[in-house]
């Protein structure tokens, strides 16, 4: 286990994985950061007078169990031609760190009327497909749109064919799921990460997905 201390970067703090640290320092002029084997060493590197606001992302925010945790998000906005750009992204972690992340903009045509939700649904489906392919039988989904959970659990009616198909596909995955609502743009480092990755995917050339 490592502790990634960012003393100078976009958001100084102590991060649980290299990718989450890299988000803060890559391309940032004069970035100052270092990995340490213990939290105490990382805190010492940051300085004795480290404000509490700078340790929001220290390693104890990482999942504390061996369960797999998945953060998902989608994006939709108009482009210069007046058409809509779509994007989706997910990141998967366990107690040891990041397992996988991916993003894309290949949203089905029949889903586009759902705008942001179309990307979020695609993120859930792609993430669960990856989990199933890698033998993961249990996962916690962290999301910021309630329908993602409520359609699957049956507490919201699936009034459209696309949301009905989504709920059926998730149930058919055979993965035991728990759902955790995250407030969008609330400082959750992984929610912010997938939000940014989804927006970047929406800005890229249409028609694909990629592992990151």
């Amino acid at each position: 286990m490592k502790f990634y201390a960012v003393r100078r970067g976009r958001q100084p703090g102590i991060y649980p994985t290299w990718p989450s640290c890299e988000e803060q320092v890559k391309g940032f002029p004069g970035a100052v950061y270092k990995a340490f084997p213990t939290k105490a060493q990382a805190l010492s590197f940051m300085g004795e007078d480290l404000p509490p606001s700078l340790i929001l992302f220290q390693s104890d925010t990482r999942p504390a169990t061996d369960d797999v945790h998945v953060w998902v998000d989608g994006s939709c906005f108009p482009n210069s031609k007046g058409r809509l750009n779509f994007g989706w992204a997910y990141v998967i972690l366990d107690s040891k760190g990041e397992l996988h992340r991916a993003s894309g903009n290949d949203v089905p045509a029949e889903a586009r009327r759902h705008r942001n939700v179309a990307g979020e649904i695609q993120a859930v489906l792609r993430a669960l497909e990856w989990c199933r392919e890698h033998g993961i039988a249990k996962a916690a989904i962290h999301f910021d749109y309630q329908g993602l959970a409520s359609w699957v659990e049956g507490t919201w009616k699936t009034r459209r064919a696309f949301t009905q198909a989504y709920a059926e596909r998730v149930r058919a995955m055979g993965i035991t799921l728990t759902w955790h609502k995250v407030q969008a743009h609330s400082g959750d480092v992984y929610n912010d990460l997938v939000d940014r990755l989804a927006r970047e995917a929406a800005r890229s050339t249409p028609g694909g997905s990629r592992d990151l």
Side-chain angles (χ1 to χ4, degrees):
M1 178 184 296
K2 290 186 178 181
F3 299 79
Y4 297 86
V6 178
R7 191 157 63 193
R8 177 177 170 80
R10 293 181 180 85
Q11 171 62 69
I14 300 174
Y15 290 80
T17 65
W18 165 242
S20 60
C21 170
E22 186 180 26
E23 295 290 331
Q24 310 307 319
V25 301
K26 187 176 182 179
F28 188 91
V32 178
Y33 59 97
K34 190 174 181 180
F36 295 92
T38 69
K39 185 192 299 184
Q41 290 174 317
L43 287 169
S44 177
F45 175 78
M46 295 295 291
E48 294 182 358
D49 298 324
L50 180 68
S53 62
L54 297 189
I55 57 175
L56 291 175
F57 308 131
Q58 58 190 343
S59 66
D60 51 14
T61 64
R62 181 190 294 173
T65 71
D66 290 331
D67 292 344
V68 168
H69 292 249
V70 181
W71 275 261
V72 297
D73 208 357
S75 181
C76 174
F77 53 82
N79 59 32
S80 59
K81 297 180 180 179
R83 299 174 182 173
L84 293 176
N85 283 12
F86 293 85
W88 57 265
Y90 67 80
V91 60
I92 302 175
L93 300 94
D94 65 9
S95 61
K96 296 179 182 179
E98 187 171 317
L99 297 175
H100 187 64
R101 65 168 74 179
S103 66
N105 51 34
D106 50 336
V107 172
E110 65 271 19
R112 293 175 177 245
R113 65 185 300 171
H114 297 278
R115 296 182 175 257
N116 273 46
V117 178
E120 301 199 29
I121 284 176
Q122 192 78 335
V124 173
L125 294 175
R126 291 302 186 88
L128 293 181
E129 287 170 358
W130 188 92
C131 288
R132 185 173 61 179
E133 290 170 1
H134 290 80
I136 294 169
K138 182 179 179 182
I141 309 295
H142 301 258
F143 62 97
D144 59 23
Y145 178 70
Q146 185 59 45
L148 297 179
S150 295
W151 285 320
V152 174
E153 295 175 332
T155 55
W156 284 17
K157 291 184 178 180
T158 51
R159 300 181 185 278
R160 300 187 185 279
F162 180 67
T163 54
Q164 183 176 359
Y166 158 73
E168 291 174 352
R169 284 185 64 186
V170 171
R171 294 173 191 141
M173 292 283 182
I175 299 173
T176 300
L177 300 175
T178 57
W179 299 87
H180 303 272
K181 182 78 161 58
V182 177
Q183 183 65 39
H185 311 296
S186 61
D188 182 299
V189 65
Y190 294 112
N191 180 255
D192 289 346
L193 171 60
V194 290
D195 174 75
R196 186 183 65 78
L197 293 176
R199 285 186 281 109
E200 289 179 355
R203 294 189 182 98
S204 62
T205 303
S209 63
R210 58 175 179 158
D211 297 332
L212 301 174

